[in-house]
Amino acid sequence: MRCLAQSGLHGQEDCCASRAGAHVALPTAQLPAAVAGMCPLQPGLAAGAPQYRKHAGRDPGADGPAPHPRDRGWYTASLQPTHAPRKHALRVLDMTGLLDDGVEQDPGTMSMWDCTAAVARTCIAQQQGGTAEPGLAPIPVEVRVDLRVNRASYAFLREALRSSVGSPLRLCCRDLRAEDLPMRNTVALLQLLDAGCLRRVDLRFNNLGLRGLSVIIPHVARFQHLASLRLHYVHGDSRQPSVDGEDNFRYFLAQMGRFTCLRELSMGSSLLSGRLDQLLSTLQSPLESLELAFCALLPEDLRFLARSPHAVHLKKLDLSGNDLSGSQLEPFQGLLQAAAATLLHLELTECQLADTQLLATLPVLTRCSSLRYLGLYGNPLSMAGLKELLRDSVVQAELRTVVHPFPVDCYEGLPWPPPASVLLEASINEEKFARVEAELHQLLLASGRAHVLWTTDIYGRLAADYFSL
């Protein structure tokens, strides 16, 4: 067998290998040697020192370009079978949990793209060229992995999944992230995944709509252990009903009721105006993470959520892009009150919250005593409003990060009320903003909270993942 691994791994989670009933932690820096030295598919393979050859840019054993964007070196290791008996053989190789997004990604680490490519090539190579010695049955190895796929890598990954069926290398996908993938291809991949392994399905930038989703969702619903479902562009606006749309939405709701373990639901950029009650009422268990960014929520949607069983269990809530400045403000405050005991992560980017709305919300916001992250980027707040927030949040001992907007004081000739697009694109006075930063820093020092990060950088940190909360 030829085992493939990315060179230069460091600074990531450990890879865990289970050997003969024991659990062994392996730093990912040792991954190439670990895979080659501990991963025999035959009982006679020795764990001696494998010989590595470095190849630029792609695995030399595969045809065509690698399906991941980074052009880095690969190591290949060849192991020759020996007749020396082995006391232990690798049964489980865990390659999950590798970082993938954000500028904090170390360029020397293995990403989700790299891991997908490495595992897929290994499965294909084993199916095409892996043979056991006569009379010796291959030792099965379960490879646990998070998979990321797009149009360019779809055929390659599908072949790998097909190759792992009945193979000694059993590919076990924990998290599937499919980007810009046609509906039929998404269904084909879902049909090849082990129903007992998958915990997350993330369909990004697929623009499925209700019609496409009604085709895909029954294939997703068969994963009974699914804990996280991330969908986008699901349009169920009650203000613009259609016969086909209503039928598809009812079918989607019926399928959502099949999930028994779902804890996170993301419905970004979906028109759910007046439909949130129908969506959340179908779920069998309360959610702990709910992302409803740019969903055009109405006051009745927020009121329902505040009264629902989900509110008192929420750890993460994202309402970005929903206007909370008018009639939505009061029901939003009621929702915060209901979730105050459990909320850890609150994202309110581009919610049109000015100083008046923020100051009215501070009494209930500061009751969120466990809050660790608050996102307010893209809201028309002044320096005075930010200082009030900083002073009042001193009671929130767990708060570690506040992503705040550039204060409106730092813009020149800003229209009022300023549209979010203007706040995001207009130039700011750098000298004014430097003084603002210095003043905020001094206030943090004076309150003994220099450890709390106040920043305008919305891209410099990895978004909090539900499973890490």
PDB file of all heavy atoms in Angstrom, residues 208-243:
ATOM      1  N   LEU A 208     -29.843  26.223  -4.035  1.00  0.00           N
ATOM      2  CA  LEU A 208     -30.751  25.129  -4.361  1.00  0.00           C
ATOM      3  C   LEU A 208     -32.186  25.598  -4.544  1.00  0.00           C
ATOM      4  O   LEU A 208     -32.915  25.097  -5.398  1.00  0.00           O
ATOM      5  CB  LEU A 208     -30.698  24.071  -3.262  1.00  0.00           C
ATOM      6  CG  LEU A 208     -29.356  23.352  -3.096  1.00  0.00           C
ATOM      7  CD1 LEU A 208     -29.376  22.534  -1.817  1.00  0.00           C
ATOM      8  CD2 LEU A 208     -29.078  22.472  -4.294  1.00  0.00           C
ATOM      9  N   GLY A 209     -32.597  26.551  -3.716  1.00  0.00           N
ATOM     10  CA  GLY A 209     -34.003  26.913  -3.718  1.00  0.00           C
ATOM     11  C   GLY A 209     -34.832  25.788  -3.126  1.00  0.00           C
ATOM     12  O   GLY A 209     -34.329  24.707  -2.805  1.00  0.00           O
ATOM     13  N   LEU A 210     -36.122  26.036  -2.980  1.00  0.00           N
ATOM     14  CA  LEU A 210     -36.992  25.022  -2.379  1.00  0.00           C
ATOM     15  C   LEU A 210     -37.128  23.781  -3.247  1.00  0.00           C
ATOM     16  O   LEU A 210     -37.187  22.655  -2.749  1.00  0.00           O
ATOM     17  CB  LEU A 210     -38.370  25.617  -2.109  1.00  0.00           C
ATOM     18  CG  LEU A 210     -38.518  26.399  -0.800  1.00  0.00           C
ATOM     19  CD1 LEU A 210     -39.877  27.069  -0.738  1.00  0.00           C
ATOM     20  CD2 LEU A 210     -38.309  25.492   0.392  1.00  0.00           C
ATOM     21  N   ARG A 211     -37.142  23.975  -4.557  1.00  0.00           N
ATOM     22  CA  ARG A 211     -37.301  22.822  -5.445  1.00  0.00           C
ATOM     23  C   ARG A 211     -36.098  21.878  -5.326  1.00  0.00           C
ATOM     24  O   ARG A 211     -36.261  20.662  -5.176  1.00  0.00           O
ATOM     25  CB  ARG A 211     -37.474  23.286  -6.884  1.00  0.00           C
ATOM     26  CG  ARG A 211     -37.683  22.134  -7.867  1.00  0.00           C
ATOM     27  CD  ARG A 211     -37.892  22.661  -9.288  1.00  0.00           C
ATOM     28  NE  ARG A 211     -38.026  21.555 -10.237  1.00  0.00           N
ATOM     29  CZ  ARG A 211     -36.986  20.946 -10.794  1.00  0.00           C
ATOM     30  NH1 ARG A 211     -35.760  21.309 -10.466  1.00  0.00           N
ATOM     31  NH2 ARG A 211     -37.182  19.957 -11.639  1.00  0.00           N
ATOM     32  N   GLY A 212     -34.900  22.435  -5.401  1.00  0.00           N
ATOM     33  CA  GLY A 212     -33.711  21.603  -5.284  1.00  0.00           C
ATOM     34  C   GLY A 212     -33.576  20.985  -3.906  1.00  0.00           C
ATOM     35  O   GLY A 212     -33.176  19.827  -3.761  1.00  0.00           O
ATOM     36  N   LEU A 213     -33.941  21.765  -2.900  1.00  0.00           N
ATOM     37  CA  LEU A 213     -33.829  21.255  -1.544  1.00  0.00           C
ATOM     38  C   LEU A 213     -34.803  20.105  -1.289  1.00  0.00           C
ATOM     39  O   LEU A 213     -34.490  19.167  -0.544  1.00  0.00           O
ATOM     40  CB  LEU A 213     -34.075  22.382  -0.548  1.00  0.00           C
ATOM     41  CG  LEU A 213     -33.643  22.116   0.893  1.00  0.00           C
ATOM     42  CD1 LEU A 213     -32.149  21.845   0.958  1.00  0.00           C
ATOM     43  CD2 LEU A 213     -33.997  23.295   1.776  1.00  0.00           C
ATOM     44  N   SER A 214     -35.966  20.159  -1.908  1.00  0.00           N
ATOM     45  CA  SER A 214     -36.941  19.087  -1.713  1.00  0.00           C
ATOM     46  C   SER A 214     -36.444  17.775  -2.307  1.00  0.00           C
ATOM     47  O   SER A 214     -36.879  16.699  -1.897  1.00  0.00           O
ATOM     48  CB  SER A 214     -38.285  19.470  -2.343  1.00  0.00           C
ATOM     49  OG  SER A 214     -38.162  19.582  -3.757  1.00  0.00           O
ATOM     50  N   VAL A 215     -35.510  17.859  -3.261  1.00  0.00           N
ATOM     51  CA  VAL A 215     -34.900  16.653  -3.831  1.00  0.00           C
ATOM     52  C   VAL A 215     -33.793  16.131  -2.926  1.00  0.00           C
ATOM     53  O   VAL A 215     -33.652  14.926  -2.706  1.00  0.00           O
ATOM     54  CB  VAL A 215     -34.355  16.940  -5.246  1.00  0.00           C
ATOM     55  CG1 VAL A 215     -33.594  15.723  -5.784  1.00  0.00           C
ATOM     56  CG2 VAL A 215     -35.486  17.323  -6.190  1.00  0.00           C
ATOM     57  N   ILE A 216     -33.016  17.032  -2.364  1.00  0.00           N
ATOM     58  CA  ILE A 216     -31.840  16.641  -1.578  1.00  0.00           C
ATOM     59  C   ILE A 216     -32.189  16.240  -0.152  1.00  0.00           C
ATOM     60  O   ILE A 216     -31.602  15.306   0.409  1.00  0.00           O
ATOM     61  CB  ILE A 216     -30.817  17.796  -1.575  1.00  0.00           C
ATOM     62  CG1 ILE A 216     -30.173  17.917  -2.951  1.00  0.00           C
ATOM     63  CG2 ILE A 216     -29.747  17.592  -0.517  1.00  0.00           C
ATOM     64  CD1 ILE A 216     -29.211  19.069  -3.076  1.00  0.00           C
ATOM     65  N   ILE A 217     -33.151  16.930   0.458  1.00  0.00           N
ATOM     66  CA  ILE A 217     -33.364  16.772   1.900  1.00  0.00           C
ATOM     67  C   ILE A 217     -33.701  15.345   2.339  1.00  0.00           C
ATOM     68  O   ILE A 217     -33.255  14.911   3.405  1.00  0.00           O
ATOM     69  CB  ILE A 217     -34.447  17.781   2.395  1.00  0.00           C
ATOM     70  CG1 ILE A 217     -34.427  17.867   3.922  1.00  0.00           C
ATOM     71  CG2 ILE A 217     -35.813  17.416   1.864  1.00  0.00           C
ATOM     72  CD1 ILE A 217     -33.165  18.438   4.487  1.00  0.00           C
ATOM     73  N   PRO A 218     -34.440  14.524   1.575  1.00  0.00           N
ATOM     74  CA  PRO A 218     -34.678  13.155   2.057  1.00  0.00           C
ATOM     75  C   PRO A 218     -33.397  12.324   2.116  1.00  0.00           C
ATOM     76  O   PRO A 218     -33.282  11.419   2.946  1.00  0.00           O
ATOM     77  CB  PRO A 218     -35.669  12.579   1.030  1.00  0.00           C
ATOM     78  CG  PRO A 218     -35.567  13.440  -0.166  1.00  0.00           C
ATOM     79  CD  PRO A 218     -35.214  14.795   0.336  1.00  0.00           C
ATOM     80  N   HIS A 219     -32.424  12.626   1.270  1.00  0.00           N
ATOM     81  CA  HIS A 219     -31.145  11.917   1.311  1.00  0.00           C
ATOM     82  C   HIS A 219     -30.328  12.360   2.526  1.00  0.00           C
ATOM     83  O   HIS A 219     -29.557  11.580   3.072  1.00  0.00           O
ATOM     84  CB  HIS A 219     -30.362  12.175   0.027  1.00  0.00           C
ATOM     85  CG  HIS A 219     -31.050  11.675  -1.207  1.00  0.00           C
ATOM     86  ND1 HIS A 219     -31.004  10.351  -1.599  1.00  0.00           N
ATOM     87  CD2 HIS A 219     -31.821  12.319  -2.124  1.00  0.00           C
ATOM     88  CE1 HIS A 219     -31.699  10.200  -2.717  1.00  0.00           C
ATOM     89  NE2 HIS A 219     -32.213  11.375  -3.051  1.00  0.00           N
ATOM     90  N   VAL A 220     -30.509  13.606   2.951  1.00  0.00           N
ATOM     91  CA  VAL A 220     -29.838  14.087   4.161  1.00  0.00           C
ATOM     92  C   VAL A 220     -30.516  13.517   5.406  1.00  0.00           C
ATOM     93  O   VAL A 220     -29.860  13.169   6.389  1.00  0.00           O
ATOM     94  CB  VAL A 220     -29.845  15.630   4.209  1.00  0.00           C
ATOM     95  CG1 VAL A 220     -29.182  16.137   5.482  1.00  0.00           C
ATOM     96  CG2 VAL A 220     -29.132  16.208   2.992  1.00  0.00           C
ATOM     97  N   ALA A 221     -31.829  13.405   5.364  1.00  0.00           N
ATOM     98  CA  ALA A 221     -32.587  12.980   6.544  1.00  0.00           C
ATOM     99  C   ALA A 221     -32.316  11.535   6.942  1.00  0.00           C
ATOM    100  O   ALA A 221     -32.650  11.123   8.047  1.00  0.00           O
ATOM    101  CB  ALA A 221     -34.087  13.180   6.295  1.00  0.00           C
ATOM    102  N   ARG A 222     -31.693  10.760   6.052  1.00  0.00           N
ATOM    103  CA  ARG A 222     -31.394   9.372   6.431  1.00  0.00           C
ATOM    104  C   ARG A 222     -30.233   9.284   7.424  1.00  0.00           C
ATOM    105  O   ARG A 222     -30.021   8.250   8.048  1.00  0.00           O
ATOM    106  CB  ARG A 222     -31.079   8.540   5.193  1.00  0.00           C
ATOM    107  CG  ARG A 222     -29.710   8.756   4.588  1.00  0.00           C
ATOM    108  CD  ARG A 222     -29.511   7.911   3.343  1.00  0.00           C
ATOM    109  NE  ARG A 222     -28.178   8.062   2.774  1.00  0.00           N
ATOM    110  CZ  ARG A 222     -27.128   7.323   3.113  1.00  0.00           C
ATOM    111  NH1 ARG A 222     -27.265   6.355   4.021  1.00  0.00           N
ATOM    112  NH2 ARG A 222     -25.953   7.520   2.552  1.00  0.00           N
ATOM    113  N   PHE A 223     -29.482  10.389   7.596  1.00  0.00           N
ATOM    114  CA  PHE A 223     -28.386  10.402   8.558  1.00  0.00           C
ATOM    115  C   PHE A 223     -28.954  10.732   9.940  1.00  0.00           C
ATOM    116  O   PHE A 223     -29.058  11.891  10.332  1.00  0.00           O
ATOM    117  CB  PHE A 223     -27.325  11.419   8.145  1.00  0.00           C
ATOM    118  CG  PHE A 223     -26.716  11.132   6.799  1.00  0.00           C
ATOM    119  CD1 PHE A 223     -27.076  11.865   5.676  1.00  0.00           C
ATOM    120  CD2 PHE A 223     -25.790  10.114   6.651  1.00  0.00           C
ATOM    121  CE1 PHE A 223     -26.531  11.592   4.439  1.00  0.00           C
ATOM    122  CE2 PHE A 223     -25.232   9.828   5.414  1.00  0.00           C
ATOM    123  CZ  PHE A 223     -25.600  10.573   4.299  1.00  0.00           C
ATOM    124  N   GLN A 224     -29.311   9.703  10.664  1.00  0.00           N
ATOM    125  CA  GLN A 224     -30.029   9.877  11.923  1.00  0.00           C
ATOM    126  C   GLN A 224     -29.178  10.480  13.038  1.00  0.00           C
ATOM    127  O   GLN A 224     -29.707  10.978  14.031  1.00  0.00           O
ATOM    128  CB  GLN A 224     -30.601   8.534  12.384  1.00  0.00           C
ATOM    129  CG  GLN A 224     -31.738   8.031  11.516  1.00  0.00           C
ATOM    130  CD  GLN A 224     -32.903   9.014  11.467  1.00  0.00           C
ATOM    131  OE1 GLN A 224     -33.464   9.394  12.492  1.00  0.00           O
ATOM    132  NE2 GLN A 224     -33.274   9.440  10.261  1.00  0.00           N
ATOM    133  N   HIS A 225     -27.865  10.439  12.890  1.00  0.00           N
ATOM    134  CA  HIS A 225     -26.995  11.031  13.906  1.00  0.00           C
ATOM    135  C   HIS A 225     -26.558  12.445  13.543  1.00  0.00           C
ATOM    136  O   HIS A 225     -25.719  13.020  14.242  1.00  0.00           O
ATOM    137  CB  HIS A 225     -25.758  10.148  14.119  1.00  0.00           C
ATOM    138  CG  HIS A 225     -26.073   8.760  14.567  1.00  0.00           C
ATOM    139  ND1 HIS A 225     -26.609   8.482  15.811  1.00  0.00           N
ATOM    140  CD2 HIS A 225     -25.951   7.565  13.938  1.00  0.00           C
ATOM    141  CE1 HIS A 225     -26.796   7.180  15.932  1.00  0.00           C
ATOM    142  NE2 HIS A 225     -26.410   6.600  14.806  1.00  0.00           N
ATOM    143  N   LEU A 226     -27.117  13.005  12.489  1.00  0.00           N
ATOM    144  CA  LEU A 226     -26.714  14.332  12.048  1.00  0.00           C
ATOM    145  C   LEU A 226     -27.006  15.367  13.134  1.00  0.00           C
ATOM    146  O   LEU A 226     -28.129  15.475  13.617  1.00  0.00           O
ATOM    147  CB  LEU A 226     -27.461  14.709  10.762  1.00  0.00           C
ATOM    148  CG  LEU A 226     -26.866  15.869   9.976  1.00  0.00           C
ATOM    149  CD1 LEU A 226     -25.599  15.429   9.251  1.00  0.00           C
ATOM    150  CD2 LEU A 226     -27.878  16.424   8.964  1.00  0.00           C
ATOM    151  N   ALA A 227     -25.962  16.142  13.496  1.00  0.00           N
ATOM    152  CA  ALA A 227     -26.114  17.157  14.536  1.00  0.00           C
ATOM    153  C   ALA A 227     -26.116  18.572  13.981  1.00  0.00           C
ATOM    154  O   ALA A 227     -26.593  19.488  14.649  1.00  0.00           O
ATOM    155  CB  ALA A 227     -24.988  17.019  15.571  1.00  0.00           C
ATOM    156  N   SER A 228     -25.565  18.760  12.783  1.00  0.00           N
ATOM    157  CA  SER A 228     -25.453  20.101  12.215  1.00  0.00           C
ATOM    158  C   SER A 228     -25.857  20.086  10.748  1.00  0.00           C
ATOM    159  O   SER A 228     -25.348  19.287   9.969  1.00  0.00           O
ATOM    160  CB  SER A 228     -24.010  20.610  12.357  1.00  0.00           C
ATOM    161  OG  SER A 228     -23.822  21.820  11.644  1.00  0.00           O
ATOM    162  N   LEU A 229     -26.752  20.994  10.381  1.00  0.00           N
ATOM    163  CA  LEU A 229     -27.212  21.119   8.997  1.00  0.00           C
ATOM    164  C   LEU A 229     -27.111  22.581   8.596  1.00  0.00           C
ATOM    165  O   LEU A 229     -27.708  23.460   9.220  1.00  0.00           O
ATOM    166  CB  LEU A 229     -28.654  20.637   8.859  1.00  0.00           C
ATOM    167  CG  LEU A 229     -29.288  20.720   7.463  1.00  0.00           C
ATOM    168  CD1 LEU A 229     -28.487  19.906   6.455  1.00  0.00           C
ATOM    169  CD2 LEU A 229     -30.730  20.244   7.501  1.00  0.00           C
ATOM    170  N   ARG A 230     -26.311  22.827   7.552  1.00  0.00           N
ATOM    171  CA  ARG A 230     -26.076  24.196   7.088  1.00  0.00           C
ATOM    172  C   ARG A 230     -26.558  24.320   5.644  1.00  0.00           C
ATOM    173  O   ARG A 230     -26.013  23.691   4.741  1.00  0.00           O
ATOM    174  CB  ARG A 230     -24.592  24.550   7.216  1.00  0.00           C
ATOM    175  CG  ARG A 230     -24.049  24.356   8.633  1.00  0.00           C
ATOM    176  CD  ARG A 230     -22.572  24.692   8.723  1.00  0.00           C
ATOM    177  NE  ARG A 230     -22.347  26.103   8.456  1.00  0.00           N
ATOM    178  CZ  ARG A 230     -22.454  27.069   9.356  1.00  0.00           C
ATOM    179  NH1 ARG A 230     -22.801  26.777  10.602  1.00  0.00           N
ATOM    180  NH2 ARG A 230     -22.213  28.329   9.032  1.00  0.00           N
ATOM    181  N   LEU A 231     -27.598  25.122   5.437  1.00  0.00           N
ATOM    182  CA  LEU A 231     -28.214  25.319   4.133  1.00  0.00           C
ATOM    183  C   LEU A 231     -28.262  26.813   3.827  1.00  0.00           C
ATOM    184  O   LEU A 231     -28.239  27.648   4.727  1.00  0.00           O
ATOM    185  CB  LEU A 231     -29.627  24.751   4.106  1.00  0.00           C
ATOM    186  CG  LEU A 231     -29.790  23.283   4.517  1.00  0.00           C
ATOM    187  CD1 LEU A 231     -31.262  22.959   4.703  1.00  0.00           C
ATOM    188  CD2 LEU A 231     -29.160  22.359   3.476  1.00  0.00           C
ATOM    189  N   HIS A 232     -28.365  27.150   2.543  1.00  0.00           N
ATOM    190  CA  HIS A 232     -28.467  28.542   2.145  1.00  0.00           C
ATOM    191  C   HIS A 232     -29.471  28.693   1.008  1.00  0.00           C
ATOM    192  O   HIS A 232     -29.737  27.753   0.264  1.00  0.00           O
ATOM    193  CB  HIS A 232     -27.104  29.078   1.690  1.00  0.00           C
ATOM    194  CG  HIS A 232     -26.082  29.134   2.777  1.00  0.00           C
ATOM    195  ND1 HIS A 232     -25.280  28.063   3.099  1.00  0.00           N
ATOM    196  CD2 HIS A 232     -25.755  30.115   3.650  1.00  0.00           C
ATOM    197  CE1 HIS A 232     -24.479  28.388   4.095  1.00  0.00           C
ATOM    198  NE2 HIS A 232     -24.754  29.622   4.456  1.00  0.00           N
ATOM    199  N   TYR A 233     -29.997  29.885   0.897  1.00  0.00           N
ATOM    200  CA  TYR A 233     -30.877  30.244  -0.220  1.00  0.00           C
ATOM    201  C   TYR A 233     -32.112  29.353  -0.301  1.00  0.00           C
ATOM    202  O   TYR A 233     -32.450  28.809  -1.347  1.00  0.00           O
ATOM    203  CB  TYR A 233     -30.111  30.198  -1.551  1.00  0.00           C
ATOM    204  CG  TYR A 233     -28.851  31.024  -1.544  1.00  0.00           C
ATOM    205  CD1 TYR A 233     -27.607  30.418  -1.519  1.00  0.00           C
ATOM    206  CD2 TYR A 233     -28.915  32.418  -1.534  1.00  0.00           C
ATOM    207  CE1 TYR A 233     -26.446  31.170  -1.487  1.00  0.00           C
ATOM    208  CE2 TYR A 233     -27.768  33.176  -1.500  1.00  0.00           C
ATOM    209  CZ  TYR A 233     -26.531  32.542  -1.483  1.00  0.00           C
ATOM    210  OH  TYR A 233     -25.383  33.299  -1.446  1.00  0.00           O
ATOM    211  N   VAL A 234     -32.790  29.200   0.833  1.00  0.00           N
ATOM    212  CA  VAL A 234     -34.071  28.489   0.875  1.00  0.00           C
ATOM    213  C   VAL A 234     -35.160  29.542   0.968  1.00  0.00           C
ATOM    214  O   VAL A 234     -35.271  30.232   1.977  1.00  0.00           O
ATOM    215  CB  VAL A 234     -34.136  27.523   2.073  1.00  0.00           C
ATOM    216  CG1 VAL A 234     -35.484  26.820   2.111  1.00  0.00           C
ATOM    217  CG2 VAL A 234     -33.000  26.518   2.003  1.00  0.00           C
ATOM    218  N   HIS A 235     -35.958  29.694  -0.073  1.00  0.00           N
ATOM    219  CA  HIS A 235     -36.913  30.795  -0.135  1.00  0.00           C
ATOM    220  C   HIS A 235     -38.318  30.310   0.182  1.00  0.00           C
ATOM    221  O   HIS A 235     -38.964  29.654  -0.628  1.00  0.00           O
ATOM    222  CB  HIS A 235     -36.871  31.448  -1.521  1.00  0.00           C
ATOM    223  CG  HIS A 235     -35.509  31.942  -1.899  1.00  0.00           C
ATOM    224  ND1 HIS A 235     -34.665  32.527  -0.985  1.00  0.00           N
ATOM    225  CD2 HIS A 235     -34.831  31.918  -3.072  1.00  0.00           C
ATOM    226  CE1 HIS A 235     -33.539  32.867  -1.574  1.00  0.00           C
ATOM    227  NE2 HIS A 235     -33.601  32.491  -2.840  1.00  0.00           N
ATOM    228  N   GLY A 236     -38.790  30.649   1.391  1.00  0.00           N
ATOM    229  CA  GLY A 236     -40.138  30.279   1.804  1.00  0.00           C
ATOM    230  C   GLY A 236     -40.922  31.476   2.291  1.00  0.00           C
ATOM    231  O   GLY A 236     -41.652  31.395   3.271  1.00  0.00           O
ATOM    232  N   ASP A 237     -40.763  32.619   1.632  1.00  0.00           N
ATOM    233  CA  ASP A 237     -41.385  33.873   2.031  1.00  0.00           C
ATOM    234  C   ASP A 237     -42.908  33.742   1.994  1.00  0.00           C
ATOM    235  O   ASP A 237     -43.493  33.495   0.937  1.00  0.00           O
ATOM    236  CB  ASP A 237     -40.927  34.989   1.093  1.00  0.00           C
ATOM    237  CG  ASP A 237     -41.320  36.374   1.599  1.00  0.00           C
ATOM    238  OD1 ASP A 237     -42.160  36.454   2.512  1.00  0.00           O
ATOM    239  OD2 ASP A 237     -40.771  37.359   1.080  1.00  0.00           O
ATOM    240  N   SER A 238     -43.538  33.920   3.149  1.00  0.00           N
ATOM    241  CA  SER A 238     -44.992  33.792   3.229  1.00  0.00           C
ATOM    242  C   SER A 238     -45.703  34.929   2.520  1.00  0.00           C
ATOM    243  O   SER A 238     -46.902  34.838   2.238  1.00  0.00           O
ATOM    244  CB  SER A 238     -45.436  33.754   4.699  1.00  0.00           C
ATOM    245  OG  SER A 238     -45.114  34.982   5.339  1.00  0.00           O
ATOM    246  N   ARG A 239     -44.979  36.014   2.210  1.00  0.00           N
ATOM    247  CA  ARG A 239     -45.611  37.163   1.557  1.00  0.00           C
ATOM    248  C   ARG A 239     -45.731  36.971   0.048  1.00  0.00           C
ATOM    249  O   ARG A 239     -46.455  37.716  -0.614  1.00  0.00           O
ATOM    250  CB  ARG A 239     -44.795  38.431   1.858  1.00  0.00           C
ATOM    251  CG  ARG A 239     -44.754  38.792   3.343  1.00  0.00           C
ATOM    252  CD  ARG A 239     -43.757  39.889   3.625  1.00  0.00           C
ATOM    253  NE  ARG A 239     -42.390  39.479   3.306  1.00  0.00           N
ATOM    254  CZ  ARG A 239     -41.309  40.241   3.494  1.00  0.00           C
ATOM    255  NH1 ARG A 239     -41.451  41.458   4.012  1.00  0.00           N
ATOM    256  NH2 ARG A 239     -40.106  39.794   3.186  1.00  0.00           N
ATOM    257  N   GLN A 240     -45.016  35.988  -0.508  1.00  0.00           N
ATOM    258  CA  GLN A 240     -45.074  35.721  -1.941  1.00  0.00           C
ATOM    259  C   GLN A 240     -45.258  34.224  -2.177  1.00  0.00           C
ATOM    260  O   GLN A 240     -44.386  33.550  -2.728  1.00  0.00           O
ATOM    261  CB  GLN A 240     -43.792  36.221  -2.624  1.00  0.00           C
ATOM    262  CG  GLN A 240     -43.608  37.729  -2.527  1.00  0.00           C
ATOM    263  CD  GLN A 240     -42.314  38.178  -3.172  1.00  0.00           C
ATOM    264  OE1 GLN A 240     -41.369  37.420  -3.319  1.00  0.00           O
ATOM    265  NE2 GLN A 240     -42.267  39.435  -3.564  1.00  0.00           N
ATOM    266  N   PRO A 241     -46.406  33.680  -1.760  1.00  0.00           N
ATOM    267  CA  PRO A 241     -46.615  32.232  -1.897  1.00  0.00           C
ATOM    268  C   PRO A 241     -46.911  31.830  -3.337  1.00  0.00           C
ATOM    269  O   PRO A 241     -47.413  32.608  -4.130  1.00  0.00           O
ATOM    270  CB  PRO A 241     -47.820  31.973  -0.988  1.00  0.00           C
ATOM    271  CG  PRO A 241     -48.572  33.270  -1.010  1.00  0.00           C
ATOM    272  CD  PRO A 241     -47.536  34.350  -1.121  1.00  0.00           C
ATOM    273  N   SER A 242     -46.574  30.578  -3.657  1.00  0.00           N
ATOM    274  CA  SER A 242     -46.946  29.984  -4.943  1.00  0.00           C
ATOM    275  C   SER A 242     -47.314  28.535  -4.673  1.00  0.00           C
ATOM    276  O   SER A 242     -46.911  27.961  -3.657  1.00  0.00           O
ATOM    277  CB  SER A 242     -45.796  30.066  -5.941  1.00  0.00           C
ATOM    278  OG  SER A 242     -44.707  29.262  -5.518  1.00  0.00           O
ATOM    279  N   VAL A 243     -48.075  27.932  -5.585  1.00  0.00           N
ATOM    280  CA  VAL A 243     -48.524  26.556  -5.367  1.00  0.00           C
ATOM    281  C   VAL A 243     -47.339  25.611  -5.264  1.00  0.00           C
ATOM    282  O   VAL A 243     -47.226  24.827  -4.321  1.00  0.00           O
ATOM    283  CB  VAL A 243     -49.476  26.123  -6.505  1.00  0.00           C
ATOM    284  CG1 VAL A 243     -49.849  24.652  -6.332  1.00  0.00           C
ATOM    285  CG2 VAL A 243     -50.723  26.998  -6.510  1.00  0.00           C
TER     286      VAL A 243
END
